[in-house]
Amino acid sequence: AQSVTQLDSHVSVSEGTPVLLRCNYSSSYSPSLFWYVQHPNKGLQLLLKYTSAATLVKGINGFEAEFKKSETSFHLTKPSAHMSDAAEYFCVVSEGGSSYKLIFGSGTRLLVRP
Amino acid sequence: NAGVTQTPKFRILKIGQSMTLQCTQDMNHNYMYWYRQDPGMGLKLIYYSVGAGITDKGEVPNGYNVSRSTTEDFPLRLELAAPSQTSVYFCASSQSTGGANTGELFFGEGSRLTVL
């Protein structure tokens, strides 16, 4: 069975400092992995996705994530936080292929201090 | 290009009432989904559809029904509303490429439902 665990429910950083949001996954298959962002009172938007190509994936707004199979991790990073990055971030795992099943983590709320 | 549109954005229901959440997409996506989001939780899949005329249950289907008569529309019906159905509901769609689901979901802005 697939699962995804986001290790921090809240992360607080100062503007201009690095961001690290942690995600571990469990999958019996070769997974596809995603990070989605949700700004207040909005729907979710795709940040980036990993689908068995390059292990370092670049997304929108300067975010990137590295797939580490040995650690079953897919952590999201950004070198320098901006106030507009304050939002909720969801790590998502899919079986890939024709699967409709996407399993969402419980989310990490990112707070950015001025 | 509107993407995924949900209506209504807000609704208050009394226990036992019924209602339909509307969802339409203009991207010609064949996959459509309904999720609910409860505070501090990730999204839970209620129902999904892989094309017109085809629907199936997700993780939490009890108390809900769906239909998919067209590619564009995927309404979610709540029968006999209960306080446990108080939540934010998101409709989403995605495309397949070569028979494979890309996994990239496009979300509506959500419908906030309160059952009192």
Side-chain angles (χ1 to χ4, degrees), chain A residues 36 38 43 46 90 97 99-100 105, chain B residues 37 42 48 90 101 103-105 108:
Chain A
Y36 280 82
Q38 184 182 29
L46 181 68
F90 292 93
S99 173
Y100 62 88
Chain B
Q37 183 180 32
Y48 70 98
F90 287 98
N101 186 354
E104 178 179 357
L105 272 60

Side-chain angles (χ1 to χ4, degrees), chain B residues 39-94:
Chain B
M41 307 288 286
L43 275 68
K44 300 293 185 185
L45 182 64
I46 304 171
Y47 270 95
Y48 70 98
S49 169
V50 300
I54 306 170
T55 64
D56 209 345
K57 297 177 180 179
E59 303 170 79
V60 290
N62 291 344
Y64 307 94
N65 277 299
V66 294
S67 60
R68 185 98 181 268
S69 57
T70 66
T71 299
E72 296 79 17
D73 299 307
F74 191 43
L76 176 72
R77 182 153 180 88
L78 282 71
E79 305 281 2
L80 299 175
S84 60
Q85 293 179 304
T86 295
S87 189
V88 181
Y89 291 84
F90 287 98
C91 180
S93 69
S94 67

Side-chain angles (χ1 to χ4, degrees), chain A residues 2 4 6 21 23-25 30-37 44-52 57 65 67 74-76 89-97 99-105, chain B residues 33 35 94-95 101-105 107:
Chain A
Q2 295 179 110
V4 60
Q6 292 184 243
L21 305 183
C23 173
N24 286 351
Y25 71 91
S30 179
S32 294
L33 293 158
F34 309 81
W35 277 98
Y36 280 82
V37 60
L44 282 71
Q45 178 187 15
L46 181 68
L47 266 182
L48 51 80
K49 64 179 179 179
Y50 165 78
T51 54
S52 76
V57 182
F67 174 71
F74 190 58
H75 301 334
L76 181 71
Y89 292 79
F90 292 93
C91 184
V92 182
V93 63
S94 167
E95 291 178 358
S99 173
Y100 62 88
K101 285 187 175 179
L102 280 75
I103 306 300
F104 284 77
Chain B
Y33 315 81
Y35 289 90
S94 67
Q95 186 56 288
N101 186 354
T102 63
E104 178 179 357
L105 272 60
F107 284 85

